[in-house]
Each structure stands twice: as C-alpha cells, then as structure tokens.
Amino acid sequence: MGKSAAHIVWDWNGTLFHDNDAIIGATNAAFVELGLEPITLERYRALYCVPVPKFYERLLGRLPTDAEWEVMDEVFHRYYAEHRVRCGLTEGAAELLAEWRQAGRSQSLLSMYVHDELVPLVRGFGIEPHFVRVDGRTGPSGGSKAEHMVRHLQALAAVEPQRTVVIGDAADDAVAALHVGAQAVLYTGGSHGRASLEVVGVPVVDSLAEAVEVAQELAA
C-alpha cells in the first residue's frame, strides 16, 4: 500500500484571509466594554494567545468574568461581521491554492470562525473547490483548536497525519497540529509576531509561498 499524498490544513483568519484591520477594530470595540485603552496591531501581535480569555487576562491582570466575556465576545463578532467585507485574501493565496490542487495534492480548511459564516465567505472568494473539506467552529468561542483538529482529520479518511502540515498564523495552530501528529508552519502576517511564533519550535515564514514550500518539504 503506497503512502498518501501530502495534505495541507489551512487556517483562515490571518492566514488565507487578511483580516488584521477588522480583527484589531473588533478587539478594540470589545475593549471599550471593559474600559480598556485601544490596542495597536504591534501590541496585539505581541500579546495575543489562545484560549482568548487568557489574552484578556494579560491586559486586565485577571480573567474576565463570564458576564464580561459574553458581552465582549458578542461585541467582537458583531463588529467583525460588519467590517470583514473590506478584507480580502492574502496576496497570492488563491494562486497557491490552485497550484497545490493542480499538482494532485489535497488541502482542507479548518477555522475557529463560526462555520455558518465561514462557508459562504470562502465560497464568495471562489476558492471552495480547492478544498476537500471546510470546517468552521460549531461550539462556543474562546477555546483551543486541538480538539477541532482531531475531528477534522478524522473526517478526512484518506489523509495521514504524518503527511499533513498545518499552515496558520498562531501558536495554537502548531499546538493543534502536534496534538494530532501532524506538522506545522507558522506565517508571520497574521495575529502573532515572529518572536512569539518562534518559541513554538516549528518553521516560521514571512509569506504563504514560503509556507507552501516548507510544507512540501515536511510532508515529503
């Protein structure tokens, strides 16, 4: 029995979808609810972590209460939904997806963005046919991607974890990959700066083109 082809699991927000402006605006809209000062992109990328309540703890000095989290989460998602329409795919993303598929390799998309909003968004960019599966979050927000990655790969019967590479912009993407026995490449253009990504111990790159090149080598 031959080995399976290399497979990429793509992240969406901050990776394929260049939504930094909407994310920062939504974060600052949520901060207003707790009287926090606005945050810059640089500070956000230095402090952001998953699960998200821990990120707020770094800024507040304490975890938000359940009531605070509920309000901030609702404000964040409402603002983000209004402003994501101005965001587009990361430069070169559509071409890279097409090339990977044309080479006979498979790829899928796993995001912590709510599933019912993710699918039409991906479809609207005309890239859905490049993926064998698109999964967004179906449960509560704020948790880790690891268990979602387990279910995602279980649904991809022909994909072997050891020949799978997760490409994302957050440390949690690498944690999720390692949790299922896959590998990871982290991209510096999203929610984390290079310094906070390098501590994870996986390859860190500055473009999606580099990420695909490294993924191909890792899954060879």
Side-chain angles (χ1 to χ4, degrees):
M1 209 171 142
K3 64 181 182 179
S4 64
H7 181 84
I8 290 176
V9 178
W10 290 95
D11 173 56
W12 180 244
N13 302 96
T15 303
L16 289 175
F17 190 44
H18 188 64
D19 59 350
N20 288 348
D21 289 345
I23 290 285
I24 295 301
T27 298
N28 283 330
F31 281 4
V32 168
E33 299 300 318
L34 290 191
L36 291 170
E37 291 295 314
I39 192 170
T40 63
L41 175 60
E42 291 71 26
R43 183 162 165 75
Y44 177 91
R45 296 175 76 201
L47 295 178
Y48 181 74
C49 63
V50 174
V52 178
K54 295 291 288 183
F55 167 56
Y56 291 125
E57 182 181 28
R58 290 181 174 185
L59 296 159
L60 281 170
R62 61 175 176 83
L63 281 169
T65 66
D66 289 345
E68 287 172 336
W69 167 251
E70 205 170 298
V71 170
M72 293 169 74
D73 192 49
E74 191 277 327
V75 169
F76 177 94
H77 285 96
R78 186 175 69 240
Y79 183 101
Y80 179 83
E82 292 170 1
H83 290 79
R84 73 181 187 201
V85 295
R86 299 199 204 108
C87 303
L89 295 177
T90 300
E91 185 178 355
E95 293 79 7
L96 289 167
L97 293 172
E99 289 165 8
W100 187 264
R101 182 187 178 199
Q102 287 161 7
R105 306 183 187 102
S106 62
Q107 57 198 330
S108 57
L109 176 58
L110 175 62
S111 173
M112 295 297 280
Y113 191 48
V114 64
H115 183 79
D116 290 345
E117 294 184 33
L118 172 70
V119 172
L121 188 55
V122 172
R123 193 169 289 154
F125 283 111
I127 59 173
E128 188 183 21
H130 297 314
F131 303 112
V132 294
R133 186 175 183 88
V134 174
D135 282 332
R137 176 177 52 79
T138 54
S141 63
S144 172
K145 204 173 197 173
E147 292 308 317
H148 296 269
M149 187 67 72
V150 171
R151 291 190 291 273
H152 184 73
L153 287 192
Q154 284 175 342
L156 299 171
V159 172
E160 297 176 6
Q162 61 268 31
R163 300 213 68 217
T164 297
V165 180
V166 176
I167 297 179
D169 68 315
D172 192 52
D173 291 305
V175 171
L178 297 173
H179 184 70
V180 296
Q183 301 188 75
V185 182
L186 297 179
Y187 162 62
T188 62
S191 62
H192 284 48
R194 174 173 280 275
S196 57
L197 293 178
E198 286 180 336
V199 300
V200 184
V202 302
V204 176
V205 298
D206 296 319
S207 72
L208 293 188
E210 288 178 86
V212 170
E213 286 177 19
V214 174
Q216 191 169 346
E217 292 168 5
L218 290 174

